[in-house]
Amino acid sequence: MRSTIELINVSQEFAAQSSAQKSTVALASVNMHIDKKEIVALVGPSGCGKSTVLNIIAGFVRPTSGQVLFDGSVLSGIGPERLVVFQTPALFPWQTVRDNVTFGPRMRGVAIAEYQPLAERIIADVGLTDFQYHYPYQLSGGMRQRTQIARALVNKPEVLLLDEPFGALDAQTRLEMQEMLLGIWERYQATILFITHDVEEALFLSDRMYVLSARPGRVQREIKVPFERPRRYSLFGDEAFARLKAEILAMLHGKPDAEHAA
Amino acid sequence: MVIYRTYRWLSWLTGGLLFVLWTIVTNLGWVDPVLLPSPQTMFHTTVDFFSNGYAGNSALNHVMASVFRTFTGLAGGIVFGIPIGLLIGYYPAANAVLGPMFSFIRPVPPIAFIPLVILYFGIGEFPKILLIGTAAFWYVVLNTSNGVRSVPIDLIRAALNLGVKPHQLVFRVIFPAALPQVMTGVKTATALSWAIVVAAELVAAQMGLGYMIMDAATFFRVPYVYLGIIIIGIIGLALEFLTNAIETRLLHWRGR
Ligand SMILES: Nc1ncnc2c1ncn2[C@@H]1O[C@H](COP(=O)(O)OP(=O)(O)OP(=O)(O)O)[C@@H](O)[C@H]1O
Ligand SMILES: [Mg+2]
């Protein structure tokens, strides 16, 4: 089967801005793929280039070398079929939740009759019906992320790209959001790539995960997450889950027992 | 300025005390009544001004002359300033072309140009409006372009990601995102315009509040000087109140 997204030997070097700086090699020959309807997690130490991978797939950044394929053809720029959920919610502060959510279709001239019912359903799905006429500054952090997710979903994207979407939330809210994301994934059949620094979150949500090495980032390991769906929180107490988690953590910290990883 | 409700009576007290002091020193003859008229004189002058006007023009004519010049100049400055500000904020090349000239002219106090515009355009309405308009223009341009440059990159990326066209990016995303700064420019420009109109009228005018205080001082009609100053103060305060009200309504989301 052809992958939805494919990165082939992708490298990224950022030029120095002044003579006092050196150029930064963020990614070195990264190969990865994301298949249709898959949830893929990207973990790795801070500064290893996770956001850069996401920016490249979104088309915000053009890789220094290598190839990015989308549905089998060379990726061309930014597009609403690959939508980003930003780590710090990038909502339009002068618009209500509802206007934020419908922003994409409105700007692209989609007929109201076409997006309105969908928008309403998605706002309900992310649990914001009672807050749809509120402004972003009147929302909690979790609600802002829900709004961002709804704003993306309304465009029926093929791929959702989430950059540490729940990183800034408290543990309780994070669990709720993870559950919501799984619900949405089932209902809307999206392909999802998400970045996280939380190994448990990656194991709970994803079908596969990529572990990147410290900078320059390269794929250190690809892990198939073996747990069956639908997944429940009881998985956190599962022995296999705990073992896999420990292995990945060891790998991230460069300990020798990384050798025994699955 | 926000004053807590609990302390508001103190503000009234200060005002009241000053008024009493003024009444006492003027009525007991402690100061020269030509230099500082008494409250009674001021009251009669006010009534006289609003019923008979000053120097052949009604009170309303004087007030409206100043207000009209201010608003016309200000409107011109805003209407031209916002697009130019967007342009030089968005295109570094436009900034390179226009920026140096702007940064040289802007710090020159607008009043310094008064003799020059009189030389060029005489003492009619146009030179005054031009002077106000250009002064307002610099501040609107400066703040708008700064506002455009400080729009977060993620907001622009989010919009592009959702499929905006270039004109939508400018008018539906960058402009509203920069609006708080644009509004700061408009507020500064408004206060400045009011100051300039008075200065311009002091130098060359047949009507207006600035003209009135200059003329009254020349002919030792000191109560009219004070009255002019008071009316200028009140209108200035009203302008500030107005722009603040527009800002809080329009930009309730700012900074949050
Ligand atoms: N626009 C840029 N210009 C120069 N260097 C950059 C730029 N963007 C990222 N980098 C560098 O690339 C490297 C990877 O950055 P990136 O943001 O992808 O890391 P990350 O894995 O997302 O980190 P974190 O987990 O802390 O978010 C860093 O060393 C960073 O300094
Ligand atoms: Mg990052």
Side-chain angles (χ1 to χ4, degrees):
Chain A
M1 195 176 88
R2 197 164 65 188
S3 297
T4 300
I5 301 276
E6 203 168 348
L7 273 68
I8 303 161
N9 290 326
V10 166
S11 299
Q12 179 67 50
E13 183 172 348
F14 291 107
Q17 291 277 4
S18 71
S19 56
Q21 292 184 350
K22 279 189 258 175
S23 68
T24 310
V25 181
L27 299 171
S29 249
V30 168
N31 289 287
M32 59 170 73
H33 63 99
I34 305 159
D35 294 337
K36 217 169 176 55
K37 311 289 179 260
E38 222 186 357
I39 304 185
V40 173
L42 194 56
V43 299
S46 182
C48 72
K50 304 183 293 296
S51 296
T52 305
V53 168
L54 199 128
N55 287 337
I56 286 171
I57 297 173
F60 298 154
V61 171
R62 198 189 267 276
T64 320
S65 65
Q67 244 193 343
V68 186
L69 303 182
F70 174 58
D71 279 341
S73 39
V74 176
L75 185 115
S76 59
I78 303 171
E81 62 295 327
R82 288 158 280 128
L83 283 177
V84 175
V85 172
F86 296 85
Q87 174 166 12
T88 317
L91 297 169
F92 305 114
W94 58 91
Q95 293 185 347
T96 60
V97 167
R98 198 185 166 98
D99 287 346
N100 264 286
V101 171
T102 56
F103 184 84
R106 280 192 289 125
M107 292 300 118
R108 296 195 308 277
V110 178
I112 292 192
E114 207 174 308
Y115 68 77
Q116 191 99 300
L118 179 64
E120 264 159 34
R121 202 173 77 221
I122 290 170
I123 289 173
D125 282 339
V126 299
L128 284 175
T129 306
D130 290 345
F131 288 88
Q132 56 180 322
Y133 297 111
H134 280 55
Y135 288 86
Y137 69 83
Q138 299 170 306
L139 304 177
S140 69
M143 288 166 158
R144 287 177 203 178
Q145 284 302 21
R146 290 164 196 265
T147 309
Q148 274 209 105
I149 292 171
R151 181 176 69 179
L153 282 176
V154 168
N155 304 280
K156 303 178 204 153
E158 274 189 61
V159 186
L160 265 183
L161 303 163
L162 302 99
D163 193 348
E164 299 197 33
F166 315 136
L169 306 177
D170 63 87
Q172 172 66 34
T173 312
R174 192 181 307 180
L175 287 180
E176 280 169 27
M177 298 289 287
Q178 290 168 356
E179 225 171 15
M180 186 205 74
L181 188 66
L182 285 181
I184 275 168
W185 171 72
E186 277 163 19
R187 222 161 311 147
Y188 297 94
Q189 297 287 296
T191 303
I192 293 178
L193 171 70
F194 77 100
I195 296 174
T196 182
H197 55 250
D198 181 348
V199 175
E200 249 180 23
E201 178 171 276
L203 287 173
F204 181 61
L205 292 178
S206 71
D207 298 302
R208 269 186 317 121
M209 51 191 285
Y210 286 103
V211 181
L212 293 191
S213 66
R215 190 182 50 243
R218 49 182 102 232
V219 175
Q220 194 178 355
R221 180 162 271 124
E222 178 190 342
I223 296 162
K224 180 128 189 59
V225 180
F227 312 111
E228 260 171 38
R229 293 188 194 273
R231 295 176 188 164
R232 306 257 170 267
Y233 294 138
S234 57
L235 192 61
F236 291 135
D238 192 282
E239 202 184 314
F241 185 92
R243 211 168 38 237
L244 198 50
K245 179 184 160 189
E247 277 167 16
I248 295 164
L249 283 175
M251 198 186 307
L252 282 171
H253 294 120
K255 298 272 167 49
D257 56 340
E259 301 305 313
H260 308 301
Chain B
M1 193 164 38
V2 179
I3 296 175
Y4 291 109
R5 198 167 288 267
T6 340
Y7 295 120
R8 199 163 283 169
W9 64 274
L10 279 172
S11 309
W12 286 108
L13 189 68
T14 317
L17 281 176
L18 279 173
F19 187 81
V20 170
L21 195 70
W22 176 31
T23 311
I24 292 172
V25 297
T26 47
N27 281 282
L28 296 183
W30 292 356
V31 293
D32 184 347
V34 173
L35 293 182
L36 182 64
S38 68
Q40 299 94 306
T41 315
M42 282 311 297
F43 177 77
H44 293 305
T45 308
T46 309
V47 171
D48 186 54
F49 177 59
F50 282 102
S51 38
N52 302 320
Y54 181 88
N57 276 302
S58 71
L60 194 68
N61 279 349
H62 284 295
V63 171
M64 287 320 288
S66 301
V67 170
F68 170 79
R69 287 163 187 153
T70 307
F71 277 130
T72 317
L74 193 57
I78 293 170
V79 164
F80 287 99
I82 290 178
I84 301 287
L86 288 173
L87 192 75
I88 71 173
Y90 192 61
Y91 293 108
N95 190 32
V97 173
L98 299 172
M101 183 178 75
F102 285 7
S103 16
F104 179 75
I105 301 177
R106 192 179 36 79
V108 180
I111 296 167
F113 291 112
I114 291 178
L116 208 56
V117 292
I118 291 175
L119 206 61
Y120 270 65
F121 304 107
I123 57 167
E125 289 304 302
F126 179 70
K128 296 183 189 64
I129 291 169
L130 181 73
L131 199 68
I132 295 163
T134 42
F137 175 79
W138 305 128
Y139 282 85
V140 174
V141 166
L142 180 78
N143 282 280
T144 304
S145 58
N146 280 342
V148 169
R149 278 188 284 264
S150 54
V151 176
I153 177 96
D154 276 359
L155 214 59
I156 291 172
R157 283 180 167 175
L160 290 172
N161 206 189
L162 292 163
V164 294
K165 293 162 200 73
H167 69 275
Q168 292 174 323
L169 183 68
V170 173
F171 296 110
R172 308 297 293 270
V173 179
I174 292 176
F175 177 63
L179 201 54
Q181 287 235 46
V182 174
M183 198 59 211
T184 303
V186 168
K187 282 170 68 176
T188 316
T190 307
L192 196 72
S193 300
W194 189 236
I196 295 168
V197 77
V198 173
E201 288 170 350
L202 286 177
V203 179
Q206 258 82 60
M207 218 202 288
L209 293 164
Y211 158 76
M212 180 172 102
I213 59 179
M214 194 63 202
D215 189 75
T218 311
F219 294 103
F220 274 113
R221 301 174 72 181
V222 178
Y224 281 93
V225 177
Y226 282 98
L227 182 62
I229 291 171
I230 291 167
I231 295 173
I232 289 166
I234 290 172
I235 293 175
L237 212 60
L239 286 175
E240 199 179 305
F241 186 79
L242 184 75
T243 47
N244 279 336
I246 292 173
E247 186 177 36
T248 33
R249 268 201 80 104
L250 203 64
L251 301 174
H252 58 95
W253 49 270
R254 98 178 284 176
R256 306 211 237 183

